[in-house]
Amino acid sequence: MKKLIRLFIFLLAFPVFSQQGGMWIPSLLEGMNESEMQNLGMKMSAEDIYSVNNSSLKDAVPHFNGGCTSEVISPKGLLLTNHHCGYGQIQSHSSVENDYLADGFWAKNFKEELPNPGMTVTFIVEISDVTDQVLAGTQEASNEEERQQIIEKNKQDVVNNSPKETWQTNRVSTFYDGNQFMLFRVETFKDIRLVGAPPSSIGKFGSDTDNWMWPRHTGDFALFRIYANKDNKPAEYSKDNVPYTPKHFLPVSLDGVEENDFTMVFGYPGTTDEYLPAVAVEQLIETINPARIGIREVALKEQDAFMRKDQEIKIKYASKYARIANYYKKWIGESQGLTKTDAVGIKRNLEDQFTQTLAQKGLKDEYGHILNDFEEAYADFKDYDLAYNLFSEAFLRNVELLRTGFQLYQLEQVYNFRGEQSFNDRKNNFLKDTQSAYKDYSQKVDEKVFEKVIAFYAEEMPKEFLPDVYENINLNKLTQQIYSQSALTEYDKLAALLEGDAKEVLKKLQEDPGYDFVKNNAIAFYSEVLPSYRKMRLEIDALQAEYMKAIVETSPKEARIFPNANGTLRVTYGQVKGYSPKDAVYYEPVTHLEGVMEKYVKDDYEFDVPQKLIDLYEAKDYGQYAENGKLPVNFIGTNHTTGGNSGSPVIDAYGNLIGLNFDRVWEGTMSDIYYDPAISRNIMVDARYILFIIDKYANAQHLIDEMQLVHPKKKQTPKRKKAKKKRKSKRRS
């Protein structure tokens, strides 16, 4: 295990490029990582980034609502994240009369800040290695299933028996495909209020056309605030709560960036698979991604047609559409990037080298079976993996009636296996949770999406996994029947359907055509697909863990292997750099407000610009945020990021905020599987553009006054009082 911690960049997945790629555990930066970062220009130490005994950068970077990252940027708990990370909350506070998506929102004081029930942010208190405790006793397991049961029991014992304060929580996460386990002690705040958000024409400028693209000109940011109880501890929402006083907050740099500047992105990357064998990547490109892309494409096409014609539907579906479109486009870019770089061919060549190394080191008997086993396992797994993804996309993600029906199917299973009390508890929670979903539901939109998605599903699903309902199906007639007769299309009808005791409810459910269709599909999935899928997945995961172990043992001492992303706090470092995606094309690393105006199309769904921003541009009224008369908007760097890094702070050599991570370039979306430092770039909002929008566009100077603005390159801090006087003087003139 010491060797695992010592090794970081994976030699068998891509050629070694010094100081490029990798998502590092912040508690393990001392040594090679620290030296590399300092060679790139960092002026901090590893202790400045992660410390248990003293405040450090980690104390300013909480996990945002379980899916994004955020950062504290003032001593009053002011929180910065992406506009798209807070999109659902901005939408929930919006109406046709007060459309914060279209017009933006800016609280003038604490009282105007808007609460968000259910929203959380989570800080890391301490990270520690618990591998020995978690793997204790696994050597005696007779099979992989028993081994995993021992591991799960040990993980729970570690969680239960490790020290923590009453307001804190312990979690154990898995690293290196099950070869290392880390304990995270965390504290979660539950009173998070919306402070400010630019209009979508700034925060989502370029929308789906520009998503994953460069050059980019998007002000993708929003502001929230953490509230705590009078003791500065986590608490549920209360009017008596007060703004949180953080252990650390990030000063904001006014100096901006230039090519080759050091950049560090701190955040919670979701999932990567850098160590997949060639056969798995090939299957992803040829089978899995086309299926996922295909279903989302037909769903998005129908939603988009309605959203362009109806403002009310546009508001209702804005967040859902963006969520579906995000990974739809990402998967397209990922497949194209993997194909263009011949990632499969590169991996096969490196696997040949791996086989040769095993022979040289006398490890062929121990590990020589792995690659052949992968080929056989993935061949058997292919149809089940396809079926699993098709069912997930159709019944859990893209059709709302089907998702509701599937939740009702799960409710029926609760009754069958746990009895009426559990059924009633689950039913009440379901009704409560579902009510808000129907606020943003349109039957006519969902009906069209249903018909197109199920047509694709029936065509692409392996025939042996389809229930009898698909035999001689008249899809148009089925769609009309379901959406005209099912209670699942309206909340009041659904609530009435669930009235009564368990037996009464279940009897009514069986008579509902929407539920009947879902149940037939769910039974087929649970009987024909899921058992084999889980068994094969477990076997492949065990093989992947063995492969990871073999990689470590066969790698030279100077090699460095980083763990795949798993939603835990990581550091990735690099530099501001342009790139060349194809012959004779080179992209500069920084964009400016001029580019916004070049893309501007009046009243366009994606490229409209607020009149006030146009006025500020024409007057060149940029305040202290311009550089050489131009206002920076976005920049790119070589940081290795993925989903979950949305909202991550981009930190300079001194520990100051210089930007806000929000995307990757399309050519480099394959970096979840194969990182190529030549074209993999992350996209960031320049901190000066954020400040400019808050200050000059929103006139929310009280938020600027809350922050600590610094000039690290000039080795001085601007006087906030002088800045305030300057602003007042300008307003008087």
Side-chain angles (χ1 to χ4, degrees):
M1 194 48 54
K2 289 181 179 178
K3 188 173 182 181
L4 273 173
I5 295 173
R6 204 168 56 239
L7 304 179
F8 294 110
I9 294 180
F10 180 39
L11 295 175
L12 299 176
F14 45 81
V16 174
F17 289 81
S18 177
Q19 303 165 339
Q20 304 289 340
M23 298 175 177
W24 318 107
I25 302 171
S27 57
L28 303 176
L29 291 176
E30 289 185 1
M32 288 187 180
N33 288 117
E34 186 177 31
S35 297
E36 273 194 350
M37 295 165 85
Q38 290 172 346
N39 288 338
L40 283 170
M42 186 181 78
K43 306 303 180 184
M44 299 177 288
S45 68
E47 178 78 6
D48 294 325
I49 298 169
Y50 174 90
S51 176
V52 176
N53 299 317
N54 302 297
S55 67
S56 57
L57 291 181
K58 76 167 173 61
D59 299 315
V61 187
H63 206 179
F64 184 81
N65 212 28
C68 288
T69 303
S70 56
E71 51 275 358
V72 186
I73 57 170
S74 90
K76 297 178 182 178
L78 189 62
L79 201 65
L80 178 67
T81 190
N82 284 154
H83 186 271
H84 76 259
C85 292
Y87 202 77
Q89 285 69 38
I90 301 167
Q91 179 198 40
S92 70
H93 292 297
S94 296
S95 63
V96 174
E97 295 77 21
N98 294 298
D99 190 348
Y100 298 140
L101 290 176
D103 304 327
F105 169 80
W106 305 95
K108 297 183 179 64
N109 50 55
F110 293 153
K111 289 183 179 180
E112 291 188 3
E113 295 174 357
L114 301 176
N116 300 281
M119 174 175 275
T120 62
V121 298
T122 300
F123 289 90
I124 302 295
V125 178
E126 184 177 9
I127 306 172
S128 53
D129 193 317
V130 291
T131 303
D132 292 341
Q133 297 97 302
V134 173
L135 293 181
T138 55
Q139 298 84 353
E140 287 76 40
S142 58
N143 55 51
E144 184 59 26
E145 186 174 358
E146 184 181 345
R147 182 176 181 274
Q148 289 302 317
Q149 289 173 353
I150 294 171
I151 287 174
E152 289 305 313
K153 180 182 180 302
N154 289 345
K155 284 167 66 175
Q156 193 59 52
D157 289 343
V158 169
V159 166
N160 293 338
N161 298 324
S162 298
K164 66 178 182 65
E165 301 293 346
T166 56
W167 62 87
Q168 296 173 341
T169 305
N170 288 327
R171 302 172 181 173
V172 173
S173 294
T174 305
F175 295 79
Y176 297 105
D177 296 314
N179 287 287
Q180 184 183 28
F181 298 87
M182 305 290 280
L183 173 69
F184 289 78
R185 183 155 55 95
V186 305
E187 49 191 29
T188 298
F189 289 79
K190 301 177 181 180
D191 185 355
I192 314 300
R193 305 183 196 180
L194 177 62
V195 174
S200 294
S201 51
I202 292 174
K204 205 171 181 289
F205 181 79
S207 192
D208 303 302
T209 297
D210 272 4
N211 191 25
W212 304 105
M213 306 302 288
W214 185 259
R216 197 68 173 275
H217 302 86
T218 309
D220 193 351
F221 79 94
L223 294 166
F224 291 80
R225 192 183 304 280
I226 306 171
Y227 279 75
N229 64 19
K230 60 182 177 60
D231 298 319
N232 205 41
K233 299 295 188 293
E236 297 287 347
Y237 170 81
S238 169
K239 61 180 178 61
D240 296 324
N241 286 347
V242 296
Y244 170 63
T245 301
K247 297 175 185 175
H248 185 79
F249 68 90
L250 300 179
V252 185
S253 172
L254 287 169
D255 286 348
V257 299
E258 54 188 340
E259 191 140 20
N260 297 320
D261 273 0
F262 172 82
T263 55
M264 183 177 79
V265 172
F266 215 164
Y268 298 82
T271 303
T272 56
D273 287 298
E274 304 289 342
Y275 310 106
L276 286 177
V279 63
V281 178
E282 187 173 52
Q283 196 169 106
L284 183 73
I285 296 169
E286 296 179 357
T287 304
I288 305 306
N289 273 357
R292 299 190 293 196
I293 291 166
I295 279 190
R296 293 200 177 200
E297 185 170 90
V298 297
L300 289 166
K301 184 178 179 181
E302 297 303 321
Q303 290 181 5
D304 181 67
F306 282 99
M307 290 170 69
R308 288 183 180 274
K309 292 184 290 187
D310 189 317
Q311 178 67 12
E312 184 179 358
I313 289 176
K314 180 181 174 183
I315 293 173
K316 284 183 174 182
Y317 275 77
S319 181
K320 289 181 281 193
Y321 185 92
R323 185 175 63 249
I324 295 169
N326 188 42
Y327 263 70
Y328 159 74
K329 194 169 183 178
K330 185 261 187 184
W331 288 326
I332 294 174
E334 178 180 83
S335 292
Q336 290 182 357
L338 291 170
T339 301
K340 180 180 178 180
T341 57
D342 189 26
V344 173
I346 291 171
K347 281 179 173 285
R348 289 207 183 279
N349 288 335
L350 292 165
E351 286 168 5
D352 289 341
Q353 296 175 26
F354 171 71
T355 300
Q356 294 171 15
T357 302
L358 291 180
Q360 293 167 2
K361 292 181 175 290
L363 295 171
K364 192 172 182 180
D365 289 343
E366 187 172 356
Y367 299 123
H369 67 94
I370 292 176
L371 295 177
N372 286 333
D373 287 355
F374 269 138
E375 294 288 340
E376 294 177 5
Y378 275 100
D380 294 339
F381 189 51
K382 180 179 177 180
D383 281 353
Y384 291 95
D385 196 17
L386 172 61
Y388 181 90
N389 278 278
L390 283 169
F391 185 86
S392 297
E393 288 295 320
F395 287 82
L396 304 183
R397 294 189 176 93
N398 289 284
V399 185
E400 293 173 272
L401 181 142
L402 296 181
R403 184 168 62 248
T404 301
F406 183 74
Q407 291 173 305
L408 291 172
Y409 176 75
Q410 292 178 309
L411 181 63
E412 182 175 346
Q413 302 315 301
V414 167
Y415 174 76
N416 292 336
F417 292 99
R418 298 182 186 175
E420 185 151 5
Q421 182 60 51
S422 294
F423 172 89
N424 289 329
D425 291 343
R426 179 75 169 262
K427 181 183 75 171
N428 293 334
N429 289 332
F430 168 73
L431 282 171
K432 181 181 178 182
D433 295 341
T434 306
Q435 188 169 15
S436 61
Y438 275 92
K439 173 179 175 286
D440 297 321
Y441 177 76
S442 168
Q443 179 177 333
K444 61 183 179 181
V445 176
D446 202 47
E447 183 173 352
K448 286 292 185 182
V449 173
F450 172 94
E451 186 171 359
K452 298 296 184 181
V453 165
I454 292 302
F456 185 94
Y457 183 84
E459 180 68 25
E460 298 298 324
M461 176 68 78
K463 302 309 176 191
E464 64 269 26
F465 301 143
L466 286 173
D468 294 342
V469 68
Y470 288 92
E471 290 184 13
N472 303 315
I473 189 172
N474 182 327
L475 189 52
N476 182 261
K477 183 178 179 181
L478 174 69
T479 303
Q480 290 180 3
Q481 179 191 12
I482 288 176
Y483 280 84
S484 63
Q485 299 177 22
S486 176
L488 278 57
T489 59
E490 295 180 29
Y491 179 76
D492 290 342
K493 290 181 180 179
L494 176 65
L497 184 69
L498 295 180
E499 286 180 355
D501 62 29
K503 290 183 179 180
E504 291 174 319
V505 170
L506 293 177
K507 183 177 183 299
K508 287 188 287 183
L509 279 176
Q510 314 314 313
E511 298 168 356
D512 186 279
Y515 180 74
D516 180 67
F517 179 76
V518 173
K519 184 175 180 178
N520 275 295
N521 281 274
I523 289 173
F525 176 73
Y526 275 101
S527 60
E528 303 298 328
V529 177
L530 195 58
S532 296
Y533 174 88
R534 284 175 171 168
K535 183 175 183 294
M536 293 177 182
R537 181 79 265 172
L538 192 65
E539 292 169 353
I540 287 174
D541 288 346
L543 196 58
Q544 188 74 43
E546 188 177 11
Y547 187 37
M548 188 80 248
K549 186 171 181 285
I551 288 167
V552 172
E553 287 192 30
T554 58
S555 296
K557 289 183 178 180
E558 66 272 14
R560 296 170 303 133
I561 303 172
F562 63 88
N564 275 317
N566 61 356
T568 60
L569 188 61
R570 303 293 182 89
V571 169
T572 174
Y573 48 88
Q575 293 175 301
V576 176
K577 278 190 182 294
Y579 75 111
S580 180
K582 53 189 175 182
D583 184 47
V585 174
Y586 179 78
Y587 285 136
E588 296 289 340
V590 181
T591 63
H592 300 85
L593 190 57
E594 282 79 0
V596 175
M597 299 308 160
E598 289 169 1
K599 291 179 177 179
Y600 165 52
V601 179
K602 184 175 176 57
D603 296 326
D604 183 77
Y605 178 65
E606 299 177 302
F607 294 101
D608 199 6
V609 173
Q611 184 60 48
K612 184 170 183 180
L613 188 61
I614 296 173
D615 295 341
L616 289 167
Y617 167 73
E618 291 178 345
K620 298 297 182 285
D621 185 6
Y622 302 148
Q624 60 183 326
Y625 311 115
E627 184 173 3
N628 299 322
K630 299 177 71 174
L631 181 67
V633 175
N634 295 156
F635 64 97
I636 53 175
T638 60
N639 304 87
H640 189 177
T641 61
T642 188
N645 278 122
S646 291
S648 288
V650 187
I651 297 171
D652 70 4
Y654 306 90
N656 306 303
L657 186 76
I658 52 173
L660 180 64
N661 189 81
F662 72 97
D663 208 354
R664 284 174 286 169
V665 301
W666 205 33
E667 298 88 353
T669 53
M670 64 179 184
S671 62
D672 289 349
I673 295 160
Y674 175 72
Y675 177 85
D676 185 341
I679 60 173
S680 294
R681 295 291 182 271
N682 63 309
I683 306 177
M684 301 156 273
V685 190
D686 194 298
R688 293 168 295 176
Y689 189 58
I690 295 171
L691 295 172
F692 163 79
I693 294 297
I694 297 170
D695 188 347
K696 307 296 289 187
Y697 177 86
N699 292 323
Q701 289 88 5
H702 61 288
L703 297 176
I704 300 293
D705 292 339
E706 233 184 271
M707 306 176 203
Q708 181 185 350
L709 306 188
V710 297
H711 280 290
K713 291 181 179 179
K714 298 177 183 178
K715 298 292 189 300
Q716 63 181 14
T717 302
K719 303 289 187 181
R720 294 300 305 138
K721 290 183 179 178
K722 288 184 179 179
K724 287 169 72 175
K725 286 181 181 178
K726 223 175 183 183
R727 250 191 332 260
K728 288 178 181 177
S729 174
K730 187 164 189 177
R731 283 198 294 269
R732 283 195 297 269
S733 63

